[in-house]
Amino acid sequence: MPSYKAPLQDINFLLKDVFDATSHYATLDNCPEITEDVIDAIINEAAKFAEQVVGPLNAVGDAEGCQFNDGKVTTPTGFKDAYQQYVDNGWVGLGCPEEFGGQNMPPSLGSVVSEMIGGSNWAWSMYPGLSNAGIECIGAHGSEEQKQTYLHHLVKGSWTGSMCLTEPHCGSDVGLIKTKAIANADGSYSMTGTKIFISGGDHDMADNIIHMVLARVEGAPEGTKGISLFIVPKFIVNEDGTLGERNTVNAGSIEHKMGCNGSATCVMNFDGAKAFIVGEENSGLQQMFTMMNTARIGTALQGMCIGNNSYQGAVEYAKERLQMRSLSGPKNEKGPADPIIVHPDVRRMLLTQKSLIEGSRALVYWLNQENDKSQFAKTDEERETAEAILGMLTPLAKGFCTEVGNEVSAIGIQVYGGHGFIREHGMEQHARDNRISTIWEGTTGIQALDLIGRKVLGSGGELLRGVTKIIHKYCEANKDDALLAPFVESLAARNKEWGEVTMTVGAAAMENPDEVGAASVDYLMFGGYVILGYLWSKMAQISQAKIDAGDNNPLYFSKVHTAKFYFDRIMPRTNVHLQAMKTGSANLMDIQEEHFIIS
Amino acid sequence: MPSYKAPLQDINFLLKDVFDATSHYATLDNCPEITEDVIDAIINEAAKFAEQVVGPLNAVGDAEGCQFNDGKVTTPTGFKDAYQQYVDNGWVGLGCPEEFGGQNMPPSLGSVVSEMIGGSNWAWSMYPGLSNAGIECIGAHGSEEQKQTYLHHLVKGSWTGSMCLTEPHCGSDVGLIKTKAIANADGSYSMTGTKIFISGGDHDMADNIIHMVLARVEGAPEGTKGISLFIVPKFIVNEDGTLGERNTVNAGSIEHKMGCNGSATCVMNFDGAKAFIVGEENSGLQQMFTMMNTARIGTALQGMCIGNNSYQGAVEYAKERLQMRSLSGPKNEKGPADPIIVHPDVRRMLLTQKSLIEGSRALVYWLNQENDKSQFAKTDEERETAEAILGMLTPLAKGFCTEVGNEVSAIGIQVYGGHGFIREHGMEQHARDNRISTIWEGTTGIQALDLIGRKVLGSGGELLRGVTKIIHKYCEANKDDALLAPFVESLAARNKEWGEVTMTVGAAAMENPDEVGAASVDYLMFGGYVILGYLWSKMAQISQAKIDAGDNNPLYFSKVHTAKFYFDRIMPRTNVHLQAMKTGSANLMDIQEEHFIIS
């Protein structure tokens, strides 16, 4: 079982060489001064925690899973203790407001920490991750009293949070929610209903669990307009802040899943549970949406960082495993065979992983900085520009990074051959743990509709132009550079196609709205490959400049090579997606339901 | 948990409308007369057995897995009983020689049975599947005495078989085998070594297990030239046919795997075990190769038939699950939402599954008939033609059908959303069970090297021309047909590209052998999409003729639509593979090992 190794070289390359984090942080307002020393300290400590404390629990968490007995969830051996260390080290409050005990760091730093903690053990990282969602939610929409009551404990980590949205009959379609809240005389509500797929809905790590629940106040309008957001604590909090009576919200069972077994996925039953409304009635959906950017970037990060494990494992194995001779002559003459990394097809697999994972990482880091700006930039204009880029690229990153993350995890198994299919090496766990990333926080299909429908066509193309303009300017500025010219030529052509196909689909959609859905996922994947092309060209450019300046760090050579690979062998995928989009919706819609014959 | 439903309509469409099975069987020699009644009886009985006996054990087999205690393997609840019914019904001997109690049916009929039995429960089907491999092996290469000693019991099913090839340090690279056989005075050998990944190496279903083992006779030449094939029975068989002493071959442990949990995957220890050589010393590899076509078609079938379950499950769910409204207006006005099959992107997923699975099924059925001919055709010429097509298309089908089978199984989860990730609906099990199919019996990379290296370039292009000529003739004959013209135009262009890129890669390989490996998997996938295009065009043509003749079976309309979908949205994938191949090996080989930086 390979142990987790934080990808510090690539993280530092992005933070220092590509995205110049210290200069970026210097432009922000209302957050602490973040020097290179601060960044280094946080990253190195998080790496140590991931490698030494959380990572070693990844396999045991998968094998043991959570247990459900007598209505209570027990987490796998070691999970509780690791959580206590995480709390004691103050990690929970990293990005939380100072007035509640946090350190008020911008989201981008928290994301790098999440990348390593989650990369080392995604299931474990779900518990503190859900707390962050609750903190963000109450911080943005809760009353002052609610903030005082809940945030100190959540920020400290002595309590955790959960998000209760899904019900048996509704996932993506939140408007169908049935969970009901009836107003009590004291201003609280009585909540009744069943929620499913609730991560961290119950566990044994913290003294209290604060559920953020979407429900329908009795008599509210149908659909999404009648949804309200509530706080439902596991233990009611007394006025003096101590824990009072046990609320009537209980885990009914836990799910047996494909992966993320160490994370408890609960059915939660609300039996007249005491609930406290957040903000106004019927404004629950908008409140929930304010958290969606961070949550979706966090899921893009899941696809990337679990995929990263598969890549790392595959590289280690490919360098060690001796099997067959190179077709161009032995490379390890004294050994019984050559390491499989000599074989072109093994390299094709490794470079596919490398280019997709490192490209996805660059995309996530870009979005993290835009996320910082959207919250902490000094001017409205900067914040709005950042919001526009985020609005466009967040659904794209969520869909794309998780889809390619799954591809990368599948390749990780393939490089190991039969040894990838058995549990021993951990490769199959990565694939299982990563499988959910294309589903939760909105499936790829939902992201794709958000991207092309709500964002691109909904803005009359403005959000798209905000991004294609960046790429266009980049191409114009670099088209005469010898290294970059072939990249830029390809990139400029794809960028132009992106605009054109948007017009084509948009025009068709005026006649037939199904044209949007028929193009949507191909549109998202097309865009993802273009964005990664832009980032790979930039990374190659920056690396080549370092090489030209005499820096012999192998990482820089690696980036230049990987960019070439990406443009040669990955970028052509845009073509399939473009052609598919152009075929329109008839090839999907003309077939009748009765034609899907299965037996 | 959806129950298994045998895809009888599609099976009958292929056997009757597309491949005219009764006429095909009439051309064969040395096998029983196979009328439509015989075919129907076998298929319907197998469907019933799959649906009623083996299918219901699929989930329990996954959940329980095999147990290993005191050196013995216990299979999951119900497995042993189902096996006994399978034996009692005479299924084991379907394709086995009559003189040993079999029915001597050609391989294509056994394959349809395997499709349903394996589709309903792949893990269970491994046990009888391994017996068939042993029967084929001893039947082809064993002495008369060995046949008499082992085949009666294997064909009846009272004993089972295992294939022992892999060792801890060698999988694909069989030449590295270390297991040693020392000749005894009585003509037997003493075998010492360790084999891993041995399916059915031990279990509780049968009285004896006959291991077919590759090992190296003391003093044999190094590499593949010094490999011999042995029979190593679990219990030595006495001269009178009764079981004698327990041989010193034992399961040391079983693997914990991603899937196929009901199939015992054993570490087998040979501690001076009594072994009987098959044929001559040092001819083991050729003997093993004679079974490789059937085994690889059988694995292509695995990718297809497990993928089929994912497709069936996804269709059922998409018709039932109510979520969101159609963008083009409600389709289920009285319900709270529309079934998700109304959404274009859900249809894109279902049609991707449908076109790949039904296309793969057609490919497997085609190869089955060629496999029949290669063994039972009346003339040498027919047998040789069949051998040539098989040689070319077997590695292609093994690689392609398993790769797309895995894609289809992943889509099955996606259609279910969060419900796909939990165990309850069985979708994630299909994905886990299917994951091994791209690995065993030779990985996709190994198949691809066999295809482009050994078969295509090794025959100076002759084996490729044997296939492209069939497609070329088909295109010429149908280019003026209104329905087929667009298919044929695309197909003819891709077929031409196939020849051209073969020349390009072949020429480059003369300078640099790594060019073969650099193109190999893209070459295989490119070819797979072309072959499926040919089969989809044929299926559409046959179906349209039925429709034109007044047959309103929805299946025919479904085939015509699916062909359109395939050419619109799947066939363009060939372009990516073509472009990737043309970029050559430099983008893979120029990067240094030290550039694969992981931490």
Side-chain angles (χ1 to χ4, degrees), chain A residues 171 173 256 312 323-324 410 414 423 435 438 568 587 598, chain B residues 171 173 256 312 323-324 410 414 423 435 438 568 587 598:
Chain A
D173 196 351
H256 299 280
Q312 290 183 327
Q323 206 78 170
M324 322 290 257
Q414 194 69 19
R423 299 218 164 160
R435 186 63 194 85
T438 64
D568 273 1
N587 52 32
I598 58 174
Chain B
D173 197 353
H256 299 281
Q312 289 183 329
Q323 207 78 170
M324 320 293 255
Q414 193 70 18
R423 298 218 166 160
R435 186 63 195 84
T438 64
D568 273 1
N587 53 32
I598 57 174

PDB file of all heavy atoms in Angstrom, chain A residues 171 173 256 312 323-324 410 414 423 435 438 568 587 598, chain B residues 171 173 256 312 323-324 410 414 423 435 438 568 587 598:
ATOM      1  N   GLY A 171     -33.184  14.635  -5.816  1.00  0.00           N
ATOM      2  CA  GLY A 171     -31.781  14.965  -5.669  1.00  0.00           C
ATOM      3  C   GLY A 171     -31.522  16.274  -6.389  1.00  0.00           C
ATOM      4  O   GLY A 171     -31.580  17.351  -5.796  1.00  0.00           O
ATOM      5  N   ASP A 173     -33.471  17.766  -8.344  1.00  0.00           N
ATOM      6  CA  ASP A 173     -34.700  18.563  -8.431  1.00  0.00           C
ATOM      7  C   ASP A 173     -35.165  18.973  -7.028  1.00  0.00           C
ATOM      8  O   ASP A 173     -36.150  18.464  -6.488  1.00  0.00           O
ATOM      9  CB  ASP A 173     -35.781  17.721  -9.119  1.00  0.00           C
ATOM     10  CG  ASP A 173     -36.942  18.568  -9.608  1.00  0.00           C
ATOM     11  OD1 ASP A 173     -36.997  19.769  -9.270  1.00  0.00           O
ATOM     12  OD2 ASP A 173     -37.789  18.021 -10.330  1.00  0.00           O
ATOM     13  N   HIS A 256     -24.525   1.572   2.377  1.00  0.00           N
ATOM     14  CA  HIS A 256     -23.353   0.806   1.961  1.00  0.00           C
ATOM     15  C   HIS A 256     -23.018   1.273   0.560  1.00  0.00           C
ATOM     16  O   HIS A 256     -23.840   1.218  -0.338  1.00  0.00           O
ATOM     17  CB  HIS A 256     -23.644  -0.681   2.031  1.00  0.00           C
ATOM     18  CG  HIS A 256     -23.986  -1.091   3.431  1.00  0.00           C
ATOM     19  ND1 HIS A 256     -23.024  -1.310   4.391  1.00  0.00           N
ATOM     20  CD2 HIS A 256     -25.170  -1.239   4.050  1.00  0.00           C
ATOM     21  CE1 HIS A 256     -23.606  -1.600   5.540  1.00  0.00           C
ATOM     22  NE2 HIS A 256     -24.908  -1.565   5.359  1.00  0.00           N
ATOM     23  N   GLN A 312       0.334   9.232  -8.888  1.00  0.00           N
ATOM     24  CA  GLN A 312       1.551   8.983  -8.118  1.00  0.00           C
ATOM     25  C   GLN A 312       1.826   7.486  -7.989  1.00  0.00           C
ATOM     26  O   GLN A 312       2.952   7.028  -8.187  1.00  0.00           O
ATOM     27  CB  GLN A 312       1.424   9.585  -6.714  1.00  0.00           C
ATOM     28  CG  GLN A 312       1.449  11.101  -6.686  1.00  0.00           C
ATOM     29  CD  GLN A 312       1.404  11.650  -5.261  1.00  0.00           C
ATOM     30  OE1 GLN A 312       0.794  11.057  -4.380  1.00  0.00           O
ATOM     31  NE2 GLN A 312       2.037  12.784  -5.043  1.00  0.00           N
ATOM     32  N   GLN A 323       8.948  -5.905 -16.430  1.00  0.00           N
ATOM     33  CA  GLN A 323       8.096  -6.758 -17.249  1.00  0.00           C
ATOM     34  C   GLN A 323       8.353  -6.454 -18.723  1.00  0.00           C
ATOM     35  O   GLN A 323       8.217  -5.321 -19.156  1.00  0.00           O
ATOM     36  CB  GLN A 323       6.620  -6.470 -16.896  1.00  0.00           C
ATOM     37  CG  GLN A 323       5.672  -7.609 -17.153  1.00  0.00           C
ATOM     38  CD  GLN A 323       5.707  -8.714 -16.071  1.00  0.00           C
ATOM     39  OE1 GLN A 323       4.891  -9.579 -16.068  1.00  0.00           O
ATOM     40  NE2 GLN A 323       6.673  -8.718 -15.164  1.00  0.00           N
ATOM     41  N   MET A 324       8.767  -7.413 -19.469  1.00  0.00           N
ATOM     42  CA  MET A 324       9.084  -7.315 -20.894  1.00  0.00           C
ATOM     43  C   MET A 324      10.303  -6.395 -21.133  1.00  0.00           C
ATOM     44  O   MET A 324      10.699  -5.628 -20.285  1.00  0.00           O
ATOM     45  CB  MET A 324       7.922  -6.752 -21.731  1.00  0.00           C
ATOM     46  CG  MET A 324       6.534  -7.175 -21.346  1.00  0.00           C
ATOM     47  SD  MET A 324       6.178  -8.898 -21.699  1.00  0.00           S
ATOM     48  CE  MET A 324       5.187  -8.761 -23.154  1.00  0.00           C
ATOM     49  N   ALA A 410      -9.044   5.392 -13.171  1.00  0.00           N
ATOM     50  CA  ALA A 410      -9.179   4.119 -13.897  1.00  0.00           C
ATOM     51  C   ALA A 410      -7.842   3.729 -14.521  1.00  0.00           C
ATOM     52  O   ALA A 410      -7.459   2.549 -14.512  1.00  0.00           O
ATOM     53  CB  ALA A 410     -10.258   4.229 -14.972  1.00  0.00           C
ATOM     54  N   GLN A 414      -5.161   0.371 -14.332  1.00  0.00           N
ATOM     55  CA  GLN A 414      -4.680  -0.287 -15.550  1.00  0.00           C
ATOM     56  C   GLN A 414      -3.156  -0.425 -15.554  1.00  0.00           C
ATOM     57  O   GLN A 414      -2.631  -1.457 -15.978  1.00  0.00           O
ATOM     58  CB  GLN A 414      -5.149   0.522 -16.776  1.00  0.00           C
ATOM     59  CG  GLN A 414      -5.012  -0.201 -18.104  1.00  0.00           C
ATOM     60  CD  GLN A 414      -5.972  -1.382 -18.249  1.00  0.00           C
ATOM     61  OE1 GLN A 414      -6.964  -1.471 -17.541  1.00  0.00           O
ATOM     62  NE2 GLN A 414      -5.655  -2.279 -19.151  1.00  0.00           N
ATOM     63  N   ARG A 423      -7.007  -5.182  -3.584  1.00  0.00           N
ATOM     64  CA  ARG A 423      -7.050  -4.041  -2.668  1.00  0.00           C
ATOM     65  C   ARG A 423      -5.678  -3.587  -2.186  1.00  0.00           C
ATOM     66  O   ARG A 423      -5.499  -2.437  -1.802  1.00  0.00           O
ATOM     67  CB  ARG A 423      -7.888  -4.404  -1.439  1.00  0.00           C
ATOM     68  CG  ARG A 423      -9.311  -4.737  -1.817  1.00  0.00           C
ATOM     69  CD  ARG A 423     -10.290  -4.226  -0.807  1.00  0.00           C
ATOM     70  NE  ARG A 423     -11.607  -4.240  -1.416  1.00  0.00           N
ATOM     71  CZ  ARG A 423     -12.738  -4.215  -0.734  1.00  0.00           C
ATOM     72  NH1 ARG A 423     -12.704  -4.148   0.581  1.00  0.00           N
ATOM     73  NH2 ARG A 423     -13.888  -4.222  -1.367  1.00  0.00           N
ATOM     74  N   ARG A 435     -15.346   7.926  -7.577  1.00  0.00           N
ATOM     75  CA  ARG A 435     -16.496   7.749  -8.468  1.00  0.00           C
ATOM     76  C   ARG A 435     -17.649   8.703  -8.162  1.00  0.00           C
ATOM     77  O   ARG A 435     -18.400   9.100  -9.051  1.00  0.00           O
ATOM     78  CB  ARG A 435     -16.979   6.292  -8.430  1.00  0.00           C
ATOM     79  CG  ARG A 435     -18.078   5.987  -9.452  1.00  0.00           C
ATOM     80  CD  ARG A 435     -17.580   6.186 -10.872  1.00  0.00           C
ATOM     81  NE  ARG A 435     -18.642   6.239 -11.868  1.00  0.00           N
ATOM     82  CZ  ARG A 435     -19.331   7.332 -12.184  1.00  0.00           C
ATOM     83  NH1 ARG A 435     -19.088   8.489 -11.572  1.00  0.00           N
ATOM     84  NH2 ARG A 435     -20.257   7.292 -13.113  1.00  0.00           N
ATOM     85  N   THR A 438     -18.276  12.900  -9.736  1.00  0.00           N
ATOM     86  CA  THR A 438     -19.030  13.407 -10.895  1.00  0.00           C
ATOM     87  C   THR A 438     -20.527  13.505 -10.593  1.00  0.00           C
ATOM     88  O   THR A 438     -21.308  13.884 -11.459  1.00  0.00           O
ATOM     89  CB  THR A 438     -18.879  12.499 -12.141  1.00  0.00           C
ATOM     90  OG1 THR A 438     -19.459  11.222 -11.852  1.00  0.00           O
ATOM     91  CG2 THR A 438     -17.431  12.325 -12.540  1.00  0.00           C
ATOM     92  N   ASP A 568      -0.506  17.495 -28.348  1.00  0.00           N
ATOM     93  CA  ASP A 568      -0.483  16.424 -29.352  1.00  0.00           C
ATOM     94  C   ASP A 568      -1.612  15.421 -29.162  1.00  0.00           C
ATOM     95  O   ASP A 568      -2.262  15.013 -30.112  1.00  0.00           O
ATOM     96  CB  ASP A 568       0.839  15.637 -29.262  1.00  0.00           C
ATOM     97  CG  ASP A 568       1.945  16.271 -30.092  1.00  0.00           C
ATOM     98  OD1 ASP A 568       1.689  17.321 -30.718  1.00  0.00           O
ATOM     99  OD2 ASP A 568       3.059  15.720 -30.090  1.00  0.00           O
ATOM    100  N   ASN A 587     -30.787  13.229 -33.108  1.00  0.00           N
ATOM    101  CA  ASN A 587     -30.295  11.855 -32.901  1.00  0.00           C
ATOM    102  C   ASN A 587     -30.518  11.363 -31.472  1.00  0.00           C
ATOM    103  O   ASN A 587     -30.344  10.182 -31.186  1.00  0.00           O
ATOM    104  CB  ASN A 587     -28.826  11.705 -33.336  1.00  0.00           C
ATOM    105  CG  ASN A 587     -27.920  12.748 -32.699  1.00  0.00           C
ATOM    106  OD1 ASN A 587     -28.156  13.178 -31.572  1.00  0.00           O
ATOM    107  ND2 ASN A 587     -26.896  13.169 -33.425  1.00  0.00           N
ATOM    108  N   ILE A 598     -34.794  -3.787 -23.526  1.00  0.00           N
ATOM    109  CA  ILE A 598     -33.715  -4.350 -22.715  1.00  0.00           C
ATOM    110  C   ILE A 598     -33.811  -5.862 -22.506  1.00  0.00           C
ATOM    111  O   ILE A 598     -32.893  -6.455 -21.962  1.00  0.00           O
ATOM    112  CB  ILE A 598     -33.643  -3.654 -21.340  1.00  0.00           C
ATOM    113  CG1 ILE A 598     -34.969  -3.777 -20.599  1.00  0.00           C
ATOM    114  CG2 ILE A 598     -33.251  -2.195 -21.510  1.00  0.00           C
ATOM    115  CD1 ILE A 598     -34.920  -3.232 -19.197  1.00  0.00           C
TER     116      ILE A 598
ATOM    117  N   GLY B 171       3.330 -11.302 -14.954  1.00  0.00           N
ATOM    118  CA  GLY B 171       1.973 -11.435 -15.446  1.00  0.00           C
ATOM    119  C   GLY B 171       2.019 -11.510 -16.967  1.00  0.00           C
ATOM    120  O   GLY B 171       2.072 -12.594 -17.541  1.00  0.00           O
ATOM    121  N   ASP B 173       4.502 -10.928 -18.791  1.00  0.00           N
ATOM    122  CA  ASP B 173       5.798 -11.439 -19.239  1.00  0.00           C
ATOM    123  C   ASP B 173       6.000 -12.871 -18.768  1.00  0.00           C
ATOM    124  O   ASP B 173       6.776 -13.156 -17.863  1.00  0.00           O
ATOM    125  CB  ASP B 173       6.892 -10.525 -18.674  1.00  0.00           C
ATOM    126  CG  ASP B 173       8.221 -10.714 -19.394  1.00  0.00           C
ATOM    127  OD1 ASP B 173       8.324 -11.639 -20.224  1.00  0.00           O
ATOM    128  OD2 ASP B 173       9.140  -9.926 -19.123  1.00  0.00           O
ATOM    129  N   HIS B 256      -8.316 -10.000  -1.715  1.00  0.00           N
ATOM    130  CA  HIS B 256      -9.441  -9.092  -1.539  1.00  0.00           C
ATOM    131  C   HIS B 256      -9.408  -8.139  -2.723  1.00  0.00           C
ATOM    132  O   HIS B 256      -8.414  -7.469  -2.959  1.00  0.00           O
ATOM    133  CB  HIS B 256      -9.334  -8.382  -0.205  1.00  0.00           C
ATOM    134  CG  HIS B 256      -9.354  -9.363   0.929  1.00  0.00           C
ATOM    135  ND1 HIS B 256     -10.526  -9.932   1.394  1.00  0.00           N
ATOM    136  CD2 HIS B 256      -8.353  -9.930   1.627  1.00  0.00           C
ATOM    137  CE1 HIS B 256     -10.237 -10.793   2.354  1.00  0.00           C
ATOM    138  NE2 HIS B 256      -8.925 -10.812   2.515  1.00  0.00           N
ATOM    139  N   GLN B 312     -29.192  -1.922 -19.108  1.00  0.00           N
ATOM    140  CA  GLN B 312     -30.574  -2.292 -18.762  1.00  0.00           C
ATOM    141  C   GLN B 312     -31.043  -1.545 -17.513  1.00  0.00           C
ATOM    142  O   GLN B 312     -32.141  -0.992 -17.474  1.00  0.00           O
ATOM    143  CB  GLN B 312     -30.674  -3.797 -18.498  1.00  0.00           C
ATOM    144  CG  GLN B 312     -30.538  -4.650 -19.753  1.00  0.00           C
ATOM    145  CD  GLN B 312     -30.729  -6.141 -19.455  1.00  0.00           C
ATOM    146  OE1 GLN B 312     -30.405  -6.613 -18.377  1.00  0.00           O
ATOM    147  NE2 GLN B 312     -31.251  -6.861 -20.426  1.00  0.00           N
ATOM    148  N   GLN B 323     -37.718  13.552 -12.227  1.00  0.00           N
ATOM    149  CA  GLN B 323     -36.822  14.609 -11.763  1.00  0.00           C
ATOM    150  C   GLN B 323     -36.730  15.691 -12.840  1.00  0.00           C
ATOM    151  O   GLN B 323     -36.355  15.427 -13.964  1.00  0.00           O
ATOM    152  CB  GLN B 323     -35.420  13.995 -11.500  1.00  0.00           C
ATOM    153  CG  GLN B 323     -34.588  14.712 -10.482  1.00  0.00           C
ATOM    154  CD  GLN B 323     -34.973  14.426  -9.025  1.00  0.00           C
ATOM    155  OE1 GLN B 323     -34.275  14.800  -8.130  1.00  0.00           O
ATOM    156  NE2 GLN B 323     -36.098  13.762  -8.769  1.00  0.00           N
ATOM    157  N   MET B 324     -37.088  16.895 -12.492  1.00  0.00           N
ATOM    158  CA  MET B 324     -37.077  18.056 -13.391  1.00  0.00           C
ATOM    159  C   MET B 324     -38.112  17.895 -14.514  1.00  0.00           C
ATOM    160  O   MET B 324     -38.577  16.809 -14.798  1.00  0.00           O
ATOM    161  CB  MET B 324     -35.710  18.290 -14.054  1.00  0.00           C
ATOM    162  CG  MET B 324     -34.485  18.077 -13.199  1.00  0.00           C
ATOM    163  SD  MET B 324     -34.276  19.265 -11.858  1.00  0.00           S
ATOM    164  CE  MET B 324     -32.965  20.259 -12.528  1.00  0.00           C
ATOM    165  N   ALA B 410     -19.629   2.658 -16.143  1.00  0.00           N
ATOM    166  CA  ALA B 410     -19.490   3.932 -15.431  1.00  0.00           C
ATOM    167  C   ALA B 410     -20.701   4.825 -15.701  1.00  0.00           C
ATOM    168  O   ALA B 410     -21.212   5.503 -14.807  1.00  0.00           O
ATOM    169  CB  ALA B 410     -18.203   4.641 -15.851  1.00  0.00           C
ATOM    170  N   GLN B 414     -23.731   6.793 -13.398  1.00  0.00           N
ATOM    171  CA  GLN B 414     -24.018   8.225 -13.572  1.00  0.00           C
ATOM    172  C   GLN B 414     -25.513   8.480 -13.771  1.00  0.00           C
ATOM    173  O   GLN B 414     -26.051   9.448 -13.243  1.00  0.00           O
ATOM    174  CB  GLN B 414     -23.207   8.762 -14.764  1.00  0.00           C
ATOM    175  CG  GLN B 414     -23.166  10.277 -14.880  1.00  0.00           C
ATOM    176  CD  GLN B 414     -22.335  10.922 -13.781  1.00  0.00           C
ATOM    177  OE1 GLN B 414     -21.518  10.279 -13.129  1.00  0.00           O
ATOM    178  NE2 GLN B 414     -22.556  12.208 -13.553  1.00  0.00           N
ATOM    179  N   ARG B 423     -24.846   0.661  -2.838  1.00  0.00           N
ATOM    180  CA  ARG B 423     -24.860  -0.730  -3.310  1.00  0.00           C
ATOM    181  C   ARG B 423     -26.233  -1.221  -3.730  1.00  0.00           C
ATOM    182  O   ARG B 423     -26.349  -2.141  -4.538  1.00  0.00           O
ATOM    183  CB  ARG B 423     -24.352  -1.645  -2.193  1.00  0.00           C
ATOM    184  CG  ARG B 423     -22.925  -1.312  -1.825  1.00  0.00           C
ATOM    185  CD  ARG B 423     -22.129  -2.540  -1.529  1.00  0.00           C
ATOM    186  NE  ARG B 423     -20.717  -2.177  -1.524  1.00  0.00           N
ATOM    187  CZ  ARG B 423     -19.781  -2.892  -0.947  1.00  0.00           C
ATOM    188  NH1 ARG B 423     -20.098  -4.015  -0.348  1.00  0.00           N
ATOM    189  NH2 ARG B 423     -18.524  -2.509  -0.995  1.00  0.00           N
ATOM    190  N   ARG B 435     -14.389  -4.102 -14.068  1.00  0.00           N
ATOM    191  CA  ARG B 435     -13.103  -3.397 -14.137  1.00  0.00           C
ATOM    192  C   ARG B 435     -11.944  -4.308 -14.519  1.00  0.00           C
ATOM    193  O   ARG B 435     -10.983  -3.861 -15.155  1.00  0.00           O
ATOM    194  CB  ARG B 435     -12.819  -2.676 -12.809  1.00  0.00           C
ATOM    195  CG  ARG B 435     -11.571  -1.797 -12.844  1.00  0.00           C
ATOM    196  CD  ARG B 435     -11.736  -0.671 -13.852  1.00  0.00           C
ATOM    197  NE  ARG B 435     -10.490   0.002 -14.190  1.00  0.00           N
ATOM    198  CZ  ARG B 435      -9.642  -0.426 -15.105  1.00  0.00           C
ATOM    199  NH1 ARG B 435      -9.867  -1.539 -15.808  1.00  0.00           N
ATOM    200  NH2 ARG B 435      -8.549   0.257 -15.365  1.00  0.00           N
ATOM    201  N   THR B 438     -10.521  -5.348 -18.680  1.00  0.00           N
ATOM    202  CA  THR B 438      -9.473  -4.750 -19.546  1.00  0.00           C
ATOM    203  C   THR B 438      -8.084  -5.231 -19.153  1.00  0.00           C
ATOM    204  O   THR B 438      -7.099  -4.809 -19.755  1.00  0.00           O
ATOM    205  CB  THR B 438      -9.471  -3.201 -19.464  1.00  0.00           C
ATOM    206  OG1 THR B 438      -9.118  -2.808 -18.120  1.00  0.00           O
ATOM    207  CG2 THR B 438     -10.816  -2.609 -19.823  1.00  0.00           C
ATOM    208  N   ASP B 568     -23.321   9.684 -35.804  1.00  0.00           N
ATOM    209  CA  ASP B 568     -23.255  11.105 -35.435  1.00  0.00           C
ATOM    210  C   ASP B 568     -22.316  11.370 -34.262  1.00  0.00           C
ATOM    211  O   ASP B 568     -21.525  12.300 -34.277  1.00  0.00           O
ATOM    212  CB  ASP B 568     -24.657  11.605 -35.024  1.00  0.00           C
ATOM    213  CG  ASP B 568     -25.478  12.089 -36.204  1.00  0.00           C
ATOM    214  OD1 ASP B 568     -24.976  12.026 -37.353  1.00  0.00           O
ATOM    215  OD2 ASP B 568     -26.629  12.520 -35.979  1.00  0.00           O
ATOM    216  N   ASN B 587       6.574  12.457 -28.338  1.00  0.00           N
ATOM    217  CA  ASN B 587       5.894  13.081 -27.193  1.00  0.00           C
ATOM    218  C   ASN B 587       5.753  12.128 -26.000  1.00  0.00           C
ATOM    219  O   ASN B 587       5.383  12.552 -24.910  1.00  0.00           O
ATOM    220  CB  ASN B 587       4.542  13.693 -27.597  1.00  0.00           C
ATOM    221  CG  ASN B 587       3.649  12.704 -28.326  1.00  0.00           C
ATOM    222  OD1 ASN B 587       3.693  11.511 -28.053  1.00  0.00           O
ATOM    223  ND2 ASN B 587       2.836  13.200 -29.256  1.00  0.00           N
ATOM    224  N   ILE B 598       6.507  13.264  -8.419  1.00  0.00           N
ATOM    225  CA  ILE B 598       5.217  13.028  -7.767  1.00  0.00           C
ATOM    226  C   ILE B 598       5.092  13.673  -6.403  1.00  0.00           C
ATOM    227  O   ILE B 598       4.026  13.661  -5.810  1.00  0.00           O
ATOM    228  CB  ILE B 598       4.920  11.516  -7.656  1.00  0.00           C
ATOM    229  CG1 ILE B 598       6.036  10.810  -6.891  1.00  0.00           C
ATOM    230  CG2 ILE B 598       4.740  10.898  -9.026  1.00  0.00           C
ATOM    231  CD1 ILE B 598       5.726   9.352  -6.614  1.00  0.00           C
TER     232      ILE B 598
END
